[in-house]
Amino acid sequence: MKKEQYLKELLNVENEFFDLDHNKKIAYMHLEFDKPSNIFDLNSKTKLPVLSDDFMEWIASAFDYAPKKYKIDLDVTFTDMEGFDNDTLQAVFKKNMMLEFKKNESKARTKNNIAFSLIGIGVMFFITMILINNLWINGGLIKDIFKYVADIATTVTFWEAMTILVVENKERRSYMKNLIERFSSIRFSVTQQNA
């Protein structure tokens, strides 16, 4: 009986940490900072503020914490708004999400090019292995070594290419889909002081 109760608790552990609306399928999450500059990368001198890597990592992990089919309703509060208002911060957030999307697409293209190059190298090693097998008749030990190395090189290059094309692209697509589809809303406001 304890195992069943443990599994039931494990399946619903998100309820212990976040406010979940099971009817609307929304996870309500709250972040609190001293000021907006705490979520910006202050080393990047850009026209619009760039969100910090720490903040972007929290956004990504919020999707992991929330149940799979739930949208995120994020409330970010600050002790001092530093002259920003909700609309301005939402516009900065939206532009940063667009920048993140474009950065990930560019990175994906580069990795895909590497993967296709690895496939080409793998094909060359495979052809080399076939030629060694069929054309080098009395090679003995040296032939076996060349064949073995070509076999390993073929396998490794194809394996790495498939990892990039299948696994890494799936992870990237999931992250981007989450950014586009799983935000119910985001609000930026001043922390309410308790009297």
Side-chain angles (χ1 to χ4, degrees):
M1 200 61 149
K2 286 186 178 185
K3 186 176 181 181
E4 288 174 14
Q5 185 168 347
Y6 173 76
L7 289 174
K8 186 177 179 182
E9 284 181 34
L10 183 62
L11 288 173
N12 298 310
V13 72
E14 297 97 344
N15 290 313
E16 302 296 321
F17 292 93
F18 307 107
D19 292 326
L20 302 176
D21 184 332
H22 297 293
N23 294 328
K24 294 180 182 176
K25 300 225 179 273
I26 295 177
Y28 297 96
M29 297 185 178
H30 180 84
L31 289 174
E32 191 170 313
F33 298 94
D34 287 333
K35 51 194 174 184
S37 59
N38 292 146
I39 67 171
F40 299 142
D41 183 350
L42 299 178
N43 295 321
S44 294
K45 301 301 178 195
T46 54
K47 293 178 185 177
L48 278 177
V50 175
L51 294 173
S52 70
D53 290 340
D54 289 341
F55 187 75
M56 292 305 293
E57 284 177 24
W58 193 92
I59 295 292
S61 65
F63 298 123
D64 295 333
Y65 286 135
K68 191 87 172 149
K69 305 240 183 227
Y70 281 56
K71 292 189 175 222
I72 306 291
D73 185 302
L74 184 59
D75 186 28
V76 183
T77 60
F78 304 101
T79 306
D80 174 13
M81 290 287 281
E82 293 183 315
F84 287 98
D85 62 11
N86 178 53
D87 292 338
T88 304
L89 289 173
Q90 280 189 353
V92 167
F93 180 80
K94 181 181 177 184
K95 292 288 186 184
N96 271 270
M97 292 303 102
M98 292 167 72
L99 184 65
E100 182 75 6
F101 187 84
K102 189 167 184 177
K103 179 185 87 172
N104 274 287
E105 285 300 309
S106 175
K107 192 185 290 187
R109 275 193 302 276
T110 301
K111 286 194 166 202
N112 286 345
N113 288 339
I114 291 169
F116 293 127
S117 298
L118 287 171
I119 290 171
I121 292 168
V123 167
M124 286 182 355
F125 279 120
F126 182 69
I127 291 169
T128 302
M129 185 177 64
I130 290 172
L131 290 174
I132 288 172
N133 265 349
N134 293 319
L135 299 178
W136 195 352
I137 305 300
N138 297 322
L141 180 62
I142 295 176
K143 174 188 173 185
D144 289 342
I145 291 171
F146 275 113
K147 187 173 78 169
Y148 184 71
V149 169
D151 184 30
I152 290 174
T154 300
T155 304
V156 168
T157 54
F158 278 123
W159 184 262
E160 286 300 316
M162 290 304 112
T163 300
I164 292 170
L165 292 173
V166 177
V167 177
E168 289 184 18
N169 279 342
K170 170 66 174 132
E171 289 172 351
R172 180 191 55 78
R173 280 191 305 273
S174 293
Y175 173 62
M176 299 316 297
K177 184 178 178 184
N178 284 338
L179 286 179
I180 292 169
E181 295 179 1
R182 286 192 63 200
F183 263 113
S184 171
S185 67
I186 184 167
R187 286 172 306 287
F188 299 93
S189 59
V190 176
T191 305
Q192 300 298 318
Q193 302 295 326
N194 292 332

